[in-house]
Amino acid sequence: MRFPLGFSIAQARYMSSQRRQGRKRFPTVIMLEPLYTCNLACLGCSLERHTGKLKDRLSVEACLQAVEDAGVPIVSLCGGEPTLYPELPELVGELIRRGKYIILCTNALLLDKKVFGVIPPSKHLFINVHLDGMKETHDHVCDRPGTFDKAIDMIKVSKKSGYVTLTNTTVFKETNIEEVEQLCELLKEMRVDGMLIAPGYHYESVERDVFLTREDMHNRFKRVMELSRKYKISATPLFLEFAAGLRELACSPYSTVNFTPRGWKAPCYLIGEKYYDNFQTFWNDVDWAYWESRKDRRCSNCKMHSGFEASAVEVAQQSLKSMIQLAAWHVSG
Ligand code: SF4
């Protein structure tokens, strides 16, 4: 199975209940960023996500209210670096008590101090380690030597301690695709529970030229499609076809709503055109049809996983062939 059974059932139940209520658009994941503080300043990261002050972090109450307002079963805890959030054990405990599934997105540098031995393993908690290639590339992208070795050590401890352990790899211009295969092989040997491989996001605040051109992206993701037959890659087949330039998809930015220290970020994780304090105002005010259409110039090269994975699943459910392909993908790997 690509994902633990309980997680897949919770997600399927939630989606079918939303459809039964006749909702055309609904969020499936909240990307909750309790802080914009980080212990790294990676080359491809937006400026605000690693320059925020700890004192400006969200309270646990504000985080829980946001999850409640979004109503989703899955919380992707990101930021900033969530292990720097002093109230992390309390927040994770409260989310699990509410039956949520938590994907803790981390650079792994502080897992041994802030998570292992502090927050017990749970079927509801997934440790998701950022790993952008083998040693040289990852350390270059993170702009700090030693981050790759530390991440690999922490993945080993995570697996040994019984945590569901995933990895998240962004493909940049520097990323050599043979190296991605080498990384998949290494992670397979370490019995990692799932690997997300996705194209880099082109933030306007990132001035360095680290992102793939459209053609480069298509070529590399054709190879990632092949790798997904051999490794537990968690992007769906239709998303990978889209990343490889073999099909088009509308965007669904509403599927992964983003709550930050500045409020609800609209329209998406990438573009912060406006921030809202109130979820209902955010939801009703954003022109989702416009952002779905990808007419905006900032959308033209975007293949961001969080914008398009829900669209890929939606399309897969419209044809028998794609549904069979999706079901086979779920049980393989
Ligand atoms: S295409 Fe990309 S940038 Fe545009 S709304 Fe969707 S996720 Fe955001």
Side-chain angles (χ1 to χ4, degrees), residues 201-202 242 249-254 256 266-271 288 290-308:
Y201 322 142
H202 202 144
F242 169 65
L249 289 173
C251 183
S252 42
Y254 47 81
T256 45
C268 68
Y269 187 76
L270 189 62
I271 302 176
W288 297 118
Y290 174 77
W291 294 105
E292 246 171 8
S293 73
R294 301 166 59 197
K295 273 188 245 163
D296 195 276
R297 70 169 172 82
R298 290 164 290 182
C299 299
S300 56
N301 271 333
C302 176
K303 299 226 171 188
M304 187 164 67
H305 183 255
S306 61
F308 292 93

Side-chain angles (χ1 to χ4, degrees), residues 186-199:
L186 174 69
L187 296 172
K188 186 181 175 186
E189 279 165 22
M190 291 162 69
R191 301 187 28 257
V192 157
D193 300 286
M195 317 165 196
L196 178 66
I197 302 176

